[in-house]
Amino acid sequence: MRLFLSSYRFGAHQQRLLDLVGEPGRVAVIANACDAWPAAWQSAVTSDLYPLRRAGFQPEVLDLRDYLGRPAEVERALAAYPLIWVRGGNTFVLRAQMARSGADLALRRLLADDALVYAGYSAGACVMTPDLHGLESADDPAEVRTACGIEPRWDGLGLVDKRIVPHLDSPTDPEGLSRKLVRRFTAEGIPHWALTDDHVVLVDGEGPVLLT
């Protein structure tokens, strides 16, 4: 299994992603964490295309809404890419769209077979953890009903064994919500990684390893 889970894009470890993938090629960009914000969706996607192209990749948007209720087709679509890039937004919305399309089960199978690399940042990283409780302090679960028409799910895909708190001490978190969540998890004895925007949780066959 190969995972590259960051707080913000490549973090400080772009080369480690390139090493994980090998020769940069096609990459599926999944932006469904932004589905509750239709006015910002396209600009959110565009903002990720440039850094991926600059790193040598050929990004193509893969919208999970095109595969709702079509799990076999979404698995075939995902399997066509050596790298899946899942951007940030609302973790609960992303989790719901993965469930509605069957991408959650497909990714588990494909990653178990080492058929592709999964790179996710912020929501795209958090969704790979066992449990999403606590993230409601930053991401609104009610947006799932608006964007997806279902109730929010609180389970992640469980492909890493700790929760992830992104954007620690980041300019993107002026209210310090991540720092507050870290204090809560620490007080409650909940295993977690607290990621600054430089940090990456890396899985490459073994691991996970925290890159600081």
Side-chain angles (χ1 to χ4, degrees):
M1 185 180 301
R2 290 172 291 163
L3 305 174
F4 184 93
L5 308 178
S6 69
S7 174
Y8 186 68
R9 293 188 177 152
F10 303 111
H13 301 280
Q14 177 176 313
Q15 186 58 48
R16 294 300 294 270
L17 178 61
L18 293 171
D19 293 342
L20 206 60
V21 175
E23 188 71 22
R26 296 172 68 214
V27 51
V29 176
I30 295 177
N32 296 97
C34 299
D35 285 355
W37 317 324
W41 201 91
Q42 190 57 56
S43 61
V45 172
T46 302
S47 72
D48 274 14
L49 300 183
Y50 175 70
L52 286 167
R53 288 178 180 139
R54 188 172 57 187
F57 293 102
Q58 296 124 46
E60 302 170 14
V61 176
L62 193 156
D63 190 340
L64 297 180
R65 292 174 293 186
D66 293 338
Y67 297 92
L68 300 183
R70 297 158 59 195
E73 291 182 41
V74 79
E75 183 161 356
R76 282 195 295 271
L78 292 166
Y81 294 91
L83 173 64
I84 308 297
W85 177 270
V86 186
R87 64 156 289 127
N90 186 312
T91 308
F92 298 100
V93 172
L94 175 60
R95 179 68 183 96
Q97 300 294 51
M98 284 185 167
R100 296 173 77 209
S101 62
D104 51 359
L105 301 180
L107 284 168
R108 285 191 183 111
R109 285 190 290 267
L110 292 166
L111 287 163
D113 290 342
D114 199 30
L116 50 78
V117 175
Y118 179 100
Y121 73 87
S122 193
C126 292
V127 78
M128 304 303 277
T129 69
D131 194 317
L132 306 184
H133 285 90
L135 296 176
E136 69 275 11
S137 61
D139 296 347
D140 185 0
E143 289 186 337
V144 174
R145 301 182 193 96
T146 304
C148 310
I150 62 173
E151 292 300 305
R153 293 182 58 148
W154 296 85
D155 63 317
L157 273 65
L159 294 181
V160 291
D161 60 357
K162 298 181 185 178
R163 302 188 202 186
I164 287 176
V165 182
H167 307 307
L168 186 67
D169 301 329
S170 168
T172 63
D173 181 22
E175 298 177 26
L177 299 176
S178 293
R179 177 63 65 181
K180 292 175 185 174
L181 184 56
V182 167
R183 285 198 293 266
R184 173 187 154 188
F185 282 170
T186 301
E188 296 177 5
I190 295 172
H192 64 279
W193 289 289
L195 304 187
T196 72
D197 286 348
D198 285 341
H199 293 166
V200 171
V201 175
L202 183 75
V203 176
D204 185 7
E206 299 179 356
V209 176
L210 177 63
L211 306 179
T212 60

